[in-house]
Amino acid sequence: MTVNPVYKQGWTMDDIHWSLFDPSRVHPTLLAAVKAAALVEYNAPDYVTYLKKVFADAGPGTLAALEQWGKEEAQHGRALGRWAELADPAFRLEDAFARFRRGYTPAHFTPAQDGSVRGSRRGEMIARCVVESGTSSYYSAIRDASGEPVLREIAGRIAADEYRHYKLFYDILHAQSEPDLGFWRKLWIAIGRVRESDDDELAYSYYCANVPPEKEATTPYDRKKYSHLAGQASMTVYHRHHVQKLVQMVIKVVGADPHGWLANLAGAVLWRRLSAKSA
Ligand SMILES: [Fe+2]
Ligand SMILES: [Fe+2]
């Protein structure tokens, strides 16, 4: 397939206006959420390795786009991590990331995994679009919630990248020669990927980012507890319209009307679920 050659990140770490950083405007809950997000973003190279296996014979255009995508995600991690280091000099991105890596390796990132864990390339791209819908809306929400100007800038730049990633994976999805999946199958894959956000990735990244190593012994990891704390921190930034946008992007991928009844229903259900989780 051919991938749009204009697919390229428009910023580097040096473009961020770091000198505008205002420590008096750092909100502690948002800081905790940003530290955790930095670790997840920074872990992208594993995902590139996995996707390149799934798309091994997809042609150089797709493989180059996947490489570029992974670099952009890692840069998101670096930017968020550097901001967190400014806001909390005790935080070290590399140290927290090393702990996260030691304790978190999902099955599909192990060398033994061959082919897509979603059952097909189309399934894989639907799952990717769900993640990019989530990150695009999440960083938009952080941008809108942050009173700290540098975080606002970083989150705005990242949100734009995530939206572009969504479009990239959407294009790759529709370029596959595999037969299209049925509506219910697509919906099932999308819902499955949303539900996976309950796994260790978000909970454990929150733990490694916010519990310093010297407190590990007295404050051990507990998935339920840290999943709840991570959810609570994320929900401080979300408004209903951010969640609706997320749902519309996902609904478009499964082939339904982003402004139809299903989108309205799913938006209401997801909002209730997120609100309940963080209560
Ligand atoms: Fe990202
Ligand atoms: Fe992304």
Side-chain angles (χ1 to χ4, degrees), residues 4 23 25 34 67 92 102 121 125 132 135 140 167 180 191 201 206 215 232 234 245 265:
N4 191 344
R25 289 176 174 251
V34 166
E67 280 281 351
R92 285 277 166 270
R102 276 197 296 277
R121 289 176 169 186
M125 289 298 93
E132 302 294 350
T135 52
S140 300
K167 289 200 281 190
D180 195 9
I191 291 171
E201 187 176 32
Y206 186 92
K215 292 204 175 142
Q232 247 180 351
S234 303
K245 175 75 181 162
L265 176 68

Side-chain angles (χ1 to χ4, degrees), residues 136-148:
S136 162
S137 69
Y138 186 44
Y139 291 110
S140 300
I142 290 179
R143 175 198 63 208
D144 297 346
S146 174
E148 200 295 307

Side-chain angles (χ1 to χ4, degrees), residues 78-94:
R78 263 194 300 282
L80 295 166
R82 189 185 291 180
W83 181 84
E85 288 174 352
L86 279 177
D88 173 7
F91 178 73
R92 285 277 166 270
L93 172 67
E94 295 294 344

Side-chain angles (χ1 to χ4, degrees), residues 178-242:
E178 292 171 342
D180 195 9
L181 301 167
F183 170 74
W184 294 108
R185 176 74 194 138
K186 287 192 268 198
L187 189 63
W188 181 251
I189 291 170
I191 291 171
R193 187 57 192 85
V194 172
R195 287 180 60 87
E196 267 173 48
S197 54
D198 288 337
D199 85 354
D200 279 322
E201 187 176 32
L202 302 182
Y204 193 60
S205 63
Y206 186 92
Y207 175 81
C208 293
N210 291 292
V211 176
E214 63 273 16
K215 292 204 175 142
E216 250 178 35
T218 52
T219 317
Y221 175 61
D222 172 336
R223 177 195 285 190
K224 209 169 162 207
K225 176 180 170 187
Y226 287 95
S227 175
H228 181 69
L229 287 172
Q232 247 180 351
S234 303
M235 277 306 285
T236 59
V237 298
Y238 271 121
H239 288 280
R240 182 72 173 78
H241 68 94
H242 298 120

Side-chain angles (χ1 to χ4, degrees), residues 41 69 72-74 76-77 132 135 139 158 161-162 165:
E41 297 275 349
W69 163 76
E72 296 183 10
E73 300 294 12
H76 296 169
E132 302 294 350
T135 52
Y139 291 110
I158 295 178
D161 284 347
E162 309 295 18
H165 294 165

